[in-house]
Amino acid sequence: MQRIRSWRALIITNGSIIFPPQNPLFSLYSSQPQPDRTPNQPQNHGFVSPSRVQKLIATQSDPLLAKEIFDYASRQPNFRHSYSSFLILILKLGRAKHLSLIDALLLRLKAERYPVTQTLFSYLLKVYGEANLPEKALRTFYTMMEFGCKPLPRHLNRVLEILVSGRSLLRPAFDLFRSAHRYGVLPNTESYNILMRAFCFNGDLSIAYDLFNKMFKRDLVPNEESYRILMQGLCRKGQVNTAVDFLEDMLNKGFTPDTLSYTTLLNSLCRKKKLREAYKLLCRMKVKGCNPDIVHYNTVIVGFCREGRAVDACKVLEDMVSNGCLPNVVSYRTLVSGLCNQESLDEAKRYLEEMVSKGFSPHFSVGHALVKGFCSVGRVEEACGVLVEILKHGEVPHRETWIAVVPRICEEIDTGRMDEVRKEVLKIEMKRETRVL
């Protein structure tokens, strides 16, 4: 009833707003006095013009109220809405997810032979995609032909994206792709990329590879994304050598691989323990027009450290700095842990100090690796120094760190000294933010 009350100032006569009396909504129009007119003068509607109705609909924040205005105007004699009123109302209903009300408007557009633009269908595809209604999106594509509206490649691609987002509709997407030419729209490179990506994720690498080759037969040129999709698919299947061959083919054809393509290959090479190839690829990136970033360098550093080659990882860190890429906390954390695992404790401590000097807080995992390493070789004093450094930066040592260092300290000091330490500790003021593990 509140919506009906808000209608009160919406009835218009002769271009002026009339505040109607307390009448029911649908009797308001007939209650308005009609001006005198000559026999040849056309009847004047309560709503002055379709453009006025269009403005009223456009100004309503409530889509259901806009629909009531639309319906009320539709019942007036000899009144015909503008196409813009249909479009605006459909947009409002779509944003508000009143999707069931849209179908009737589309039927009316078709029955009354309105000339429909492609903008309407672009928006409908967007709405149905966001609502996860792939069947409605597919039906919308076919509805375009019913309105005499020729689909464009962007409409085909949007429908394909919506369909392949659910694995169960990959076959209907492929059928639409193959039959699109019957509806006057030819798939473009993006169309192929959408299906290639879907088949790669589905594990059907052979179909994706076949689609890639068919692009050349149909005078389409694969782009950087086409190559990246196949390289990622090959890497997921463990075929990293073939993926590298694709990279070479891409470079030979004058394409510049993007950073994600290199990240995929570097990660796969490192996991396949092809560290030499990974390092060579990292060095080639800059020459081929793609500067390595922190992700690329860290990927290789992690790969070397994971295989017990932390010394080689140090060389990667040096290359990173010389190429103007600053190491981050992940770089140092990985390197320090890797050096500790190889018992290169002095080198690990040096990188920890470098890390702290550059403003990075020493993560408790880094401190634990160093403390444990120093304790294992009897260098308790240096282990304590690392522990102090960690505490100084507000990091909380792990319980395992205390378990590693406390017994070693107890072995090296006498009972009297321990009592002195206990008394000193008790003098420390315990504050709310003080953490004791």
Side-chain angles (χ1 to χ4, degrees), residues 22-62:
Q22 301 293 328
N23 289 350
L25 174 62
F26 299 118
S27 63
L28 287 176
Y29 177 79
S30 60
S31 68
Q32 301 306 314
Q34 298 296 319
D36 295 334
R37 54 186 176 90
T38 63
N40 294 329
Q41 182 180 355
Q43 181 178 355
N44 193 11
H45 298 294
F47 287 94
V48 172
S49 67
S51 62
R52 175 71 66 174
V53 177
Q54 175 187 326
K55 291 178 181 178
L56 289 173
I57 293 172
T59 56
Q60 297 307 311
S61 58
D62 184 346

Side-chain angles (χ1 to χ4, degrees), residues 139-186:
R139 180 58 196 157
T140 299
F141 180 83
Y142 295 122
T143 301
M144 293 184 70
M145 273 70 75
E146 296 176 9
F147 280 88
C149 192
K150 180 182 177 180
L152 298 175
R154 71 169 184 265
H155 298 117
L156 172 65
N157 294 342
R158 184 65 185 126
V159 177
L160 291 175
E161 287 176 342
I162 295 169
L163 292 175
V164 302
S165 62
R167 299 288 182 88
S168 60
L169 295 175
L170 187 54
R171 175 54 58 183
F174 195 41
D175 292 340
L176 175 62
F177 171 82
R178 291 189 299 179
S179 62
H181 65 279
R182 300 176 188 171
Y183 308 107
V185 55
L186 296 177

Side-chain angles (χ1 to χ4, degrees), residues 349-369:
K349 184 180 179 182
R350 184 177 73 81
Y351 277 108
L352 176 64
E353 292 170 349
E354 180 180 319
M355 174 184 180
V356 172
S357 69
K358 292 186 177 180
F360 296 111
S361 180
H363 193 266
F364 72 86
S365 62
V366 178
H368 175 70

Side-chain angles (χ1 to χ4, degrees), residues 99-120:
L99 305 184
S100 61
L101 300 177
I102 293 178
D103 291 337
L105 293 172
L106 292 176
L107 289 174
R108 183 168 172 182
L109 281 170
K110 183 180 178 182
E112 298 183 14
R113 300 182 180 277
Y114 279 86
V116 178
T117 63
Q118 293 162 334
T119 302
L120 171 63

